């Protein structure tokens, strides 16, 4: 395969797809690039982000956590307050507009925790697009509230029972649907993964998180934050907030993967920490693999982090050292979930709780003049059925 430099982040990314998808990806790339120079597209997106999504989302100083944890101030970027309850809606509105621009009438998507599926269903309902969402059997069982929300929003939810019944299998089925119906169907990918140009498209639509955070923090503190922390599954919320600070060497950036039960026993979802380069869903990136190069089984309490790969830009940022990637075990994320509920009156998504747990670890080693921003990527209503079963 010929290497096209603009398709890659360092050595990662690319486009490893069936021949039937090449023209569709070329068409998508051309439409996306044209949209970025089209003031009417930008104006419509900005209007919908403000009036439909509810942007800008607040940057909140968590005074009680700051007092209890000691050391650095803790700020929360409240993506949980965006319409449908997660950052996913930023990208879905943008890609649904691209689908309309391309003349597509049908949309397919995949979802793990259900947040991306819900956001896709909402955007399609608002823009008059048919919507089909693929979701694994295991995820449907642990995320029933979002399955019901998708149904109410008019989407068809197709159950995927293959394999572990999680996001990996749902993604594979969505791709098969797209390959079969590519002429009239648009595939809304929910994270910064997949073949070029998807990682670039998702990063662009999620970069609003970073731009807002930067402007809001400068207004509040008249300087940049010292440390930004975000959870990483596929990595869309993390790349969204990191993107505005990558050139600022004074700002430390940390992505937090799910360490599951433990790294030692192999029950985790830490692609960047324990994976190695491989191809998954059309791109070269870090992938969890067994000794034979087969995709390995993942394990985490968080459906949204239950993916054996990661966005290729994160893979490049890991290798360059610009972003540090760490792991947090499930039990620490659950403890952080409870702590935010009880001390700030905010129910976070389990995904975000992994980032909170790491912020708790490092806050005490920082001074009271320093600040950590945690990207609260979504709300945790969907996870209420999962947390009690993991009570200590």
């Amino acid at each position: 395969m010929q290497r096209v430099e603009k398709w890659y982040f360092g050595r990662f990314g690319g486009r490893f797809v069936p021949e039937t998808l090449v023209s569709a990806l070329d068409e998508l790339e051309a439409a996306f690039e044209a949209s970025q120079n089209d003031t009417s597209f930008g104006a419509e997106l900005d209007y919908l982000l403000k009036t439909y999504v509810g942007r800008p989302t607040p940057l909140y100083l968590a005074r009680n956590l700051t007092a209890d944890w000691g050391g650095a101030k803790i700020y929360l970027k409240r993506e949980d307050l965006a319409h449908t309850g997660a950052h996913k809606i930023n990208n879905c509105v943008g890609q649904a507009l691209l689908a309309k621009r391309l003349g597509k009438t049908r949309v397919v998507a995949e979802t793990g925790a259900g947040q991306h599926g819900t956001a896709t269903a909402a955007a399609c309902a608002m823009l008059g697009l048919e919507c089909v969402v693929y979701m694994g059997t295991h995820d449907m069982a642990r995320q029933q509230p979002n399955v019901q929300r998708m149904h109410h929003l008019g989407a068809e939810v197709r159950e995927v029972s293959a394999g572990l019944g999680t996001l990996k299998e749902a993604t594979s089925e969505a791709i098969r649907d797209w390959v079969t119906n590519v002429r009239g169907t648009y595939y809304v990918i929910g994270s910064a993964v997949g073949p070029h140009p998807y990682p670039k498209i998702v990063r662009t639509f999620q970069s609003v998180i970073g731009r807002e955070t930067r402007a809001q923090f400068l207004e509040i503190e008249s300087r940049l934050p010292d440390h930004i922390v975000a959870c990483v599954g596929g990595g869309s919320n993390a790349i969204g907030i990191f993107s505005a600070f990558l050139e600022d060497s004074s700002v430390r950036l940390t992505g937090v993967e799910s360490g599951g039960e433990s790294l030692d026993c192999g029950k985790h979802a830490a692609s960047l920490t324990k994976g190695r380069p491989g191809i998954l869903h059309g791109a070269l990136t870090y992938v969890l693999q067994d000794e034979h190069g087969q995709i390995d089984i993942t394990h985490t309490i968080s459906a949204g982090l239950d993916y054996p790969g990661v966005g290729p830009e994160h893979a490049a940022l890991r290798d360059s050292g610009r972003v540090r990637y760490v792991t947090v075990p499930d039990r620490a994320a659950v403890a952080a979930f409870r702590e935010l509920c009880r001390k700030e009156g905010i129910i976070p998504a389990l995904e975000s709780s992994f980032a909170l747990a790491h912020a708790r670890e490092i806050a005490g080693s920082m001074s009271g003049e320093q600040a950590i921003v945690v990207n609260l990527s979504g709300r945790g209503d969907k996870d209420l059925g999962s947390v009690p079963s993991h009570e200590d």
Side-chain angles (χ1 to χ4, degrees), residues 52 83-93 96 111 114-125 131 133 146 149-150 153 188:
Y52 185 72
H83 179 48
T84 68
H87 72 290
K88 296 290 188 182
I89 191 69
N90 306 319
N91 169 57
C92 290
V93 168
T111 195
Q115 289 175 317
H116 172 60
T118 300
T120 303
C124 287
C131 181
V133 179
N146 274 335
R149 293 168 81 197
M150 285 184 272
L153 291 165
V188 176

Side-chain angles (χ1 to χ4, degrees), residues 270-319:
S271 306
L272 286 161
T273 304
K274 301 296 285 187
R276 63 181 192 273
I279 294 172
L280 179 64
H281 295 140
L284 176 64
T285 187
Y286 277 96
V287 180
L288 291 174
Q289 303 169 57
D290 64 18
E291 65 271 24
H292 305 294
Q294 299 299 308
I295 305 302
D296 213 348
I297 294 172
T298 51
H299 181 96
T300 170
I301 188 177
S302 171
L305 303 183
D306 203 352
Y307 187 65
V310 67
E313 187 169 6
H314 285 293
L317 291 168
R318 171 199 181 277
D319 279 12

